[in-house]
Amino acid sequence: MYQYVGMFMVVFAAVIFVFLGSIEGFSTKGQPCTYSTGTCKPALYTALFSTASFLLGAITSLVSGFLGMKIATYANARTTLEARKGVGKAFITAFRSGAVMGFLLSSSGLVVLYITINVFKMYYGDDWEGLFESITGYGLGGSSMALFGRVGGGIYTKAADVGADLVGKVERNIPEDDPRNPAVIADNVGDNVGDIAGMGSDLFGSYAESSCAALVVASISSFGINHDFTAMCYPLLVSSVGIIVCLLTTLFATDFFEIKAASEIEPALKKQLIISTALMTIGVAVISWLALPAKFTIFNFGAQKDVSNWGLFFCVAVGLWAGLIIGFVTEYYTSNAYSPVQDVADSCRTGAATNVIFGLALGYKSVIIPIFAIAVSIYVSFSIAAMYGIAMAALGMLSTMATGLAIDAYGPISDNAGGIAEMAGMSHRIRERTDALDAAGNTTAAIGKVNFPALRVPGTFRCLCQQSWCEGR
């Protein structure tokens, strides 16, 4: 797959260079800048730097996805082995493995972006507008690679999953992940490709886009005019604080609280989101007070808008807490502890048609509150700080990305651990423990998949009804 992705990356980079360079006929003469002082750099050199940042974003996305798959592959078998000692030991192994991927992706994206800004600054100097416009290629590179990882990998994952279930449960009447079903291998590989590498590339693209958008808007504000580099890097500081907050939050799940029963898994994962959101609110307040001037100006479609540092903090906080609200609404509609999933399970008794219709209708219903939460956060943040406020609200939703990725990656790791236990012929007790981990991961993974920049609200309903439970109902 990486061969085809590499070919696309090279061809698309050439297209970007040709289109951007031809704006002024591949001119090597500078033009007057719009907001910053002095002369902007020639279009030819801007095209070169934009293409370079695109390649950096694409490569970082690919490497993050590949390393995420390697981490998950090693963690699958280790989680299975730890399940012999108890559900608590297996949970710690699976969650720490997901946390490694979360911190790897968020920190690598931040480090590469910061280094790129400083390297480009050596050429652009005080031309902040040109510098951050060329940096936008970084977000485009990450998003373009996410097309292959998330869409292509996701289609492969679901095709393998459904194919394995059709062959095993329907045609042969054998258990899930039975070693006699060769499609189980494709199913387990698909979990790593779509739910690990694809999800990582997708969230990396969202993070890169949000960061680059916020940096561009900041460059045409009073920050750029006053050459306040620290204030312009405020979006990166927010992401940096997010990594530290998520690191502290991870300790609560793996060191401070001990999982003794399967019923404690899902509450422990939900506490991660609550703790990270609360700590992040405090961290953003501190950063806003230290890094931003008390008053600054944002250019809003030609007009000037005065903004305070606490106003910008409120924009980030609105996005942060809106993401938490969306997560808990999603948890209500996807957890078997609440009536929506139980009603879908009841609809299984009358056949597949009513089950599909009921699940689809419930999926439509589940997006109502998330859409209102996003609309309110957009309106409030735009009213406070115009487009910069919206960009920072989006970044606020992604500021706890490391914790969200840890929870997301925990799910497929637990799922594959159960598949390994089944194929290895291990005891039924171990499979019950891995199934408990997987059941909690399915719900909390839906909570963590909040993707504000693309407005992809987690409203797709997923019926997790097992045949035995439906019959018991």
Side-chain angles (χ1 to χ4, degrees):
M1 184 186 94
Y2 283 104
Q3 283 183 320
Y4 298 104
V5 172
M7 293 169 55
F8 168 81
M9 186 170 60
V10 172
V11 172
F12 200 62
V15 171
I16 291 175
F17 174 75
V18 170
F19 273 88
L20 291 180
S22 61
I23 292 177
E24 297 173 2
F26 296 96
S27 173
T28 58
K29 296 181 179 180
Q31 302 293 330
C33 289
T34 306
Y35 293 103
S36 55
T37 59
T39 302
C40 292
K41 301 301 180 183
L44 178 62
Y45 300 138
T46 300
L48 282 172
F49 281 97
S50 297
T51 304
S53 62
F54 167 81
L55 292 173
L56 284 172
I59 293 172
T60 305
S61 179
L62 290 177
V63 171
S64 299
F66 177 78
L67 293 178
M69 283 194 295
K70 297 292 288 185
I71 294 169
T73 303
Y74 289 128
N76 296 336
R78 294 178 181 179
T79 303
T80 306
L81 293 175
E82 290 296 320
R84 298 181 301 175
K85 304 176 184 177
V87 67
K89 295 290 186 181
F91 169 79
I92 290 176
T93 302
F95 186 81
R96 283 180 175 173
S97 302
V100 170
M101 179 193 169
F103 289 118
L104 171 69
L105 192 144
S106 55
S107 60
S108 62
L110 179 63
V111 167
V112 173
L113 182 57
Y114 182 72
I115 292 175
T116 304
I117 290 173
N118 282 275
V119 171
F120 285 12
K121 186 175 179 292
M122 297 171 62
Y123 171 76
Y124 280 97
D126 292 336
D127 182 12
W128 305 111
E129 183 183 352
L131 169 62
F132 289 115
E133 281 185 2
S134 63
I135 289 294
T136 55
Y138 186 79
L140 180 61
S143 297
S144 61
M145 295 303 104
L147 292 174
F148 292 90
R150 191 54 161 169
V151 180
I155 292 174
Y156 169 78
T157 300
K158 298 311 172 188
D161 191 1
V162 173
D165 288 342
L166 288 175
V167 172
K169 298 177 181 177
V170 179
E171 293 187 8
R172 298 297 180 184
N173 194 26
I174 57 179
E176 186 178 5
D177 297 325
D178 193 281
R180 292 171 291 177
N181 185 357
V184 171
I185 300 297
D187 184 13
N188 290 344
V189 172
D191 287 335
N192 288 332
V193 173
D195 294 337
I196 297 292
M199 175 194 62
S201 297
D202 189 19
L203 289 181
F204 172 80
S206 299
Y207 163 76
E209 286 175 339
S210 300
S211 300
C212 292
L215 290 170
V216 168
V217 179
S219 68
I220 56 176
S221 66
S222 59
F223 301 151
I225 296 175
N226 299 328
H227 307 300
D228 192 347
F229 185 68
T230 301
M232 277 189 289
C233 289
Y234 176 73
L236 304 184
L237 293 173
V238 171
S239 300
S240 302
V241 173
I243 294 175
I244 298 174
V245 165
C246 292
L247 180 61
L248 296 175
T249 305
T250 303
L251 299 177
F252 286 94
T254 59
D255 295 316
F256 297 160
F257 301 108
E258 182 180 358
I259 302 296
K260 298 180 180 179
S263 59
E264 299 177 2
I265 299 174
E266 188 172 330
L269 293 174
K270 288 193 292 186
K271 288 177 183 176
Q272 296 290 296
L273 297 173
I274 299 174
I275 294 172
S276 62
T277 302
L279 292 179
M280 189 64 199
T281 304
I282 299 173
V284 172
V286 174
I287 288 297
S288 302
W289 178 56
L290 295 177
L292 295 175
K295 296 287 184 179
F296 56 92
T297 301
I298 295 292
F299 291 98
N300 181 25
F301 300 104
Q304 293 186 356
K305 185 176 183 64
D306 294 330
V307 184
S308 66
N309 53 357
W310 293 114
L312 198 57
F313 154 74
F314 192 69
C315 293
V316 180
V318 164
L320 183 64
W321 286 93
L324 185 66
I325 292 172
I326 294 172
F328 277 101
V329 171
T330 304
E331 188 256 348
Y332 172 75
Y333 281 100
T334 56
S335 174
N336 57 12
Y338 301 105
S339 59
V341 170
Q342 296 171 5
D343 292 340
V344 173
D346 286 334
S347 69
C348 295
R349 296 181 299 177
T350 54
T354 53
N355 179 241
V356 171
I357 293 172
F358 194 95
L360 186 63
L362 201 59
Y364 289 143
K365 182 180 178 181
S366 69
V367 302
I368 295 176
I369 296 178
I371 287 176
F372 275 105
I374 289 178
V376 169
S377 62
I378 291 175
Y379 176 79
V380 171
S381 56
F382 182 82
S383 300
I384 295 174
M387 297 302 294
Y388 193 42
I390 296 178
M392 291 311 304
L395 205 57
M397 278 194 177
L398 292 168
S399 59
T400 56
M401 185 175 66
T403 296
L405 272 171
I407 295 174
D408 281 348
Y410 155 86
I413 289 174
S414 302
D415 189 5
N416 281 350
I420 292 174
E422 183 74 27
M423 289 187 289
M426 302 178 76
S427 68
H428 185 66
R429 185 180 71 256
I430 295 177
R431 183 58 199 254
E432 288 179 348
R433 291 170 179 171
T434 57
D435 284 347
L437 296 173
D438 184 28
N442 284 329
T443 299
T444 52
I447 297 175
K449 289 174 183 174
V450 178
N451 195 342
F452 181 84
L455 295 182
R456 295 213 309 270
V457 182
T460 303
F461 190 83
R462 184 178 181 183
C463 180
L464 303 173
C465 172
Q466 298 292 333
Q467 184 178 1
S468 59
W469 188 40
C470 290
E471 292 173 354
R473 299 285 292 180

